[in-house]
Amino acid sequence: MDLTTFLIQLLNALQYGLLLFLVASGLTLIFGIMGIINLAHGSFYMMGAYMAFALTSATGNLFVAILLGIALSALIGFLLEWGLFSRLYKRDHLDQVLLTYGLILVFEEIRSMIVGDDVHGVRIPEMLSASIQLSETLSYPVYRLFMSAVCIVLAVLMYWLIRHTRLGMMIRAGSSNREMVQSLGINIDLIYRLVFALGVTLAAFAGMLAAPVSSVYPGMGNQVLIICFVVVVIGGVGSVWGALVAALLIGLADTFGKVIIPDYAGLTVYLLMAAVLLWRPEGIFRRI
Amino acid sequence: MSETLLEAEGLHSFYGSSHILHGIDFVVRRGETIGLMGRNGMGKTTLIRSMLGHVRPRHGRVAVRGKTMTGSAPYLIARKGIAYVPEGRGIFPNLSVRENLLMAAKPGIDGRRDWTYERVLETFPRLGERLTNGGGQLSGGEQQMLTIGRALMTNPDVLILDEATEGLAPLIAKEIWYIVRQIRATGIATIVIDKNHAAVTSISDRNVILVKGKVAFEGSSAELRAQPELLHKHLGAG
Ligand SMILES: Nc1ncnc2c1ncn2[C@@H]1O[C@H](COP(=O)(O)OP(=O)(O)OP(=O)(O)O)[C@@H](O)[C@H]1O
Ligand SMILES: [Mg+2]
């Protein structure tokens, strides 16, 4: 592998890892802080991608579509927590798995009713459609760099929110003693509703961002869901920081796995998970 | 008579089918210190939790500042200036000492900001030395100080201390009592639940003894001291 190819693969790994992080960060928060196993989390990614497709078709502009999609997915997240997930906190994991598995089916059905079952593509916006020439034959698309940059900004914002704001302190406090947080006059139910909506929005946003580079197809959320659970397990349940590190590791393992051992590429991610869990059974980072 | 801040009327509370509180009347007025006593399992904590919205009473009424708030969400009751230092350790172990305090900061109900981060650290100098430590790394006494300090950060008018000295070494317990006196002197009404009856009655204006979910005695510390047989009968103390 020459240096340029290596660089390209590295950028691909970074971009894939960062995108995974967007989806997995919400999953790890919802799992780690609220104690809910949400199998439907991948569906939000799918929803986002379809929103990007449908809203770009309607408005003719991906950025407008993304803004609308963000508002829409935040609303969906808020209502879902209020109507369904808030009833799950005190239930056991089996009930959670049943409900959220059911939701996957419901969401796919709704998607089928609204936009059908065809595979779609979304055009990369004009201003980001260029490529950067790296060597005579190799180039790297600007849109992918844009994706990575947006993800990095969001990761920094998330870190700042959780670590350095009072809201973040309240969120973390709630994961250790919800009742005590309430006794301090804090409406923790509302905060959790917002965190849930944030998780949904991040996953959907990842889907919107990815839509122009991957096609938009039925069931696209399920694949992402499985990898995201691997991210959560490797990173440590509830740790946003851990999710970032794990997602990047998976990005590297997956991307370079495909280059170095193409025949067994599907395995590298799970080998990585096994190795990390042997080393640290609770994941790389413990709870937030 | 000064303003009634917290009030329970004919409170009946249950855990499942076990009837814990049997019609309790309880009042906290501005600035007063109340000793709430009774043997293990008599319902002291349940009474507090019923007033704070953590347990929904089946009958009776809870009023905060004259407004009925029976079974209201705990955060709404807390926002009316009622702070709670619960039995056991109420700190957030995954937050630093500094974060434990800052996350709770809010003005009092009349906009007062008497208790600031700085003032809490002045009151509890030990905490100042451990600001970046995780709450879980503190000793039992320090954890208790942190919980009290955090409650003060909400600028309350009523502070409820449920077994604040339980399990602490005598010297540390003494320090806590000293702080409770200081807090009392600032005009915050306090409900003190503690096994150390002598210490409680030495600071309380009024005392309530619960026996099996009923009020068995209510009166001043002097009245209580004048009837040592009561202490013996209801509290098993000498
Ligand atoms: N969560 C609960 N579920 C069921 N029963 C409970 C629960 N909490 C307390 N009880 C029971 O309710 C009764 C009153 O308990 P409570 O904690 O109010 O007593 P207490 O006076 O605070 O006692 P202590 O001095 O031991 O703290 C006891 O019999 C106790 O066993
Ligand atoms: Mg008790």
Side-chain angles (χ1 to χ4, degrees):
Chain A
M1 201 186 324
D2 65 71
L3 193 65
T4 316
T5 317
F6 176 78
L7 181 67
I8 288 177
Q9 295 301 347
L10 195 64
L11 286 171
N12 280 336
L14 187 71
Q15 180 258 303
Y16 176 52
L18 286 167
L19 195 71
L20 269 185
F21 165 74
L22 282 198
V23 187
S25 56
L27 189 66
T28 205
L29 279 178
I30 291 165
F31 191 2
I33 292 184
M34 310 186 191
I36 288 191
I37 298 186
N38 181 14
L39 296 186
H41 199 72
S43 301
F44 304 134
Y45 176 79
M46 179 275 292
M47 272 185 212
Y50 272 91
M51 280 181 200
F53 162 69
L55 294 170
T56 308
S57 310
T59 65
N61 185 322
L62 179 66
F63 297 115
V64 174
I66 286 181
L67 285 182
L68 290 174
I70 287 174
L72 202 56
S73 44
L75 182 69
I76 290 172
F78 195 86
L79 292 178
L80 276 175
E81 202 278 351
W82 169 75
L84 288 177
F85 285 83
S86 58
R87 283 146 229 271
L88 280 182
Y89 296 132
K90 295 194 177 97
R91 302 295 196 90
D92 61 24
H93 287 327
L94 180 63
D95 289 355
Q96 300 178 354
V97 165
L98 284 175
L99 177 81
T100 57
Y101 183 72
L103 279 179
I104 296 180
L105 305 179
V106 172
F107 291 150
E108 289 291 342
E109 195 57 37
I110 293 175
R111 189 252 324 129
S112 175
M113 278 157 44
I114 297 178
V115 270
D117 295 327
D118 296 335
V119 175
H120 296 284
V122 175
R123 276 174 59 104
I124 293 176
E126 204 66 50
M127 57 185 290
L128 296 173
S129 60
S131 281
I132 295 171
Q133 209 66 33
L134 293 174
S135 71
E136 293 201 358
T137 49
L138 297 169
S139 64
Y140 198 77
V142 170
Y143 186 76
R144 282 181 186 267
L145 289 177
F146 166 75
M147 285 172 75
S148 295
V150 169
C151 291
I152 289 172
V153 169
L154 284 176
V156 170
L157 282 177
M158 286 270 285
Y159 180 79
W160 173 77
L161 171 77
I162 303 274
R163 280 281 140 204
H164 294 291
T165 66
R166 280 189 65 203
L167 183 61
M169 294 174 200
M170 291 172 189
I171 292 170
R172 283 181 284 141
S175 77
S176 80
N177 190 344
R178 214 172 155 143
E179 199 177 288
M180 193 62 232
V181 176
Q182 290 194 305
S183 292
L184 295 166
I186 294 162
N187 185 353
I188 191 71
D189 294 350
L190 178 65
I191 289 180
Y192 277 18
R193 195 155 296 156
L194 292 174
V195 171
F196 189 88
L198 175 71
V200 171
T201 309
L202 284 170
F205 180 71
M208 296 175 217
L209 210 54
V213 294
S214 78
S215 46
V216 176
Y217 55 97
M220 66 187 289
N222 300 339
Q223 234 178 325
V224 169
L225 177 76
I226 294 169
I227 294 293
C228 283
F229 267 110
V230 176
V231 170
V232 170
V233 168
I234 291 183
V237 174
S239 169
V240 171
W241 185 236
L244 179 60
V245 173
L248 289 174
L249 282 177
I250 287 178
L252 289 170
D254 188 71
T255 307
F256 284 96
K258 279 180 184 140
V259 179
I260 298 165
I261 41 167
D263 292 347
Y264 302 100
L267 281 180
T268 46
V269 165
Y270 301 98
L271 287 177
L272 176 70
M273 176 167 83
V276 169
L277 292 186
L278 282 175
W279 168 51
R280 281 190 181 220
E282 289 194 43
I284 302 178
F285 293 88
R286 293 172 92 219
R287 281 176 154 263
I288 55 162
Chain B
M1 199 178 282
S2 57
E3 181 193 1
T4 298
L5 294 176
L6 184 60
E7 186 175 10
E9 240 177 52
L11 224 50
H12 287 263
S13 287
F14 290 70
Y15 287 118
S17 62
S18 42
H19 194 168
I20 308 294
L21 300 186
H22 298 259
I24 291 197
D25 296 320
F26 188 83
V27 174
V28 184
R29 296 191 192 84
R30 183 174 288 283
E32 73 178 340
T33 301
I34 299 171
L36 180 57
M37 296 182 269
R39 290 189 215 236
N40 286 339
M42 290 301 177
K44 304 180 294 293
T45 301
T46 307
L47 170 60
I48 299 301
R49 291 172 55 78
S50 301
M51 291 195 292
L52 296 185
H54 295 298
V55 171
R56 181 181 274 275
R58 202 169 290 181
H59 304 287
R61 169 174 174 268
V62 173
V64 185
R65 295 173 183 274
K67 191 168 158 261
T68 300
M69 295 192 81
T70 321
S72 277
Y75 78 91
L76 289 175
I77 294 174
R79 280 185 191 175
K80 295 271 179 182
I82 317 291
Y84 180 34
V85 173
E87 212 172 18
R89 305 273 139 82
I91 51 133
F92 305 119
N94 55 340
L95 266 61
S96 69
V97 168
R98 185 177 155 274
E99 290 176 329
N100 264 280
L101 293 174
L102 287 182
M103 60 89 61
K106 71 173 185 65
I109 198 152
D110 48 5
R112 240 176 335 101
R113 284 192 184 268
D114 293 350
W115 288 94
T116 58
Y117 180 63
E118 290 74 25
R119 176 152 175 216
V120 168
L121 292 183
E122 275 167 33
T123 311
F124 302 93
R126 277 161 177 272
L127 296 181
E129 295 160 19
R130 318 214 54 182
L131 286 177
T132 56
N133 284 78
Q137 293 166 282
L138 302 185
S139 71
E142 288 165 339
Q143 292 195 8
Q144 208 53 264
M145 290 177 195
L146 180 55
T147 319
I148 297 173
R150 195 182 56 196
L152 292 172
M153 291 291 290
T154 67
N155 285 289
D157 292 309
V158 178
L159 177 65
I160 301 172
L161 298 162
D162 195 348
E163 315 267 12
T165 67
E166 192 178 34
L168 300 183
L171 223 56
I172 308 286
K174 218 172 150 187
E175 213 171 313
I176 302 264
W177 283 114
Y178 173 72
I179 286 159
V180 173
R181 276 171 200 278
Q182 272 183 293
I183 294 168
R184 175 179 185 271
T186 66
I188 297 177
T190 44
I191 302 175
V192 183
I193 301 175
D194 207 280
K195 297 265 144 49
N196 184 346
H197 308 120
V200 173
T201 51
S202 76
I203 60 168
S204 59
D205 303 308
R206 199 150 55 78
N207 303 280
V208 173
I209 299 180
L210 294 190
V211 175
K212 294 190 182 145
K214 291 191 177 123
V215 175
F217 169 87
E218 179 167 0
S220 70
S221 296
E223 285 173 82
L224 190 57
R225 277 194 220 97
Q227 295 164 272
E229 71 283 0
L230 269 182
L231 277 176
H232 187 71
K233 186 168 153 216
H234 296 317
L235 306 172

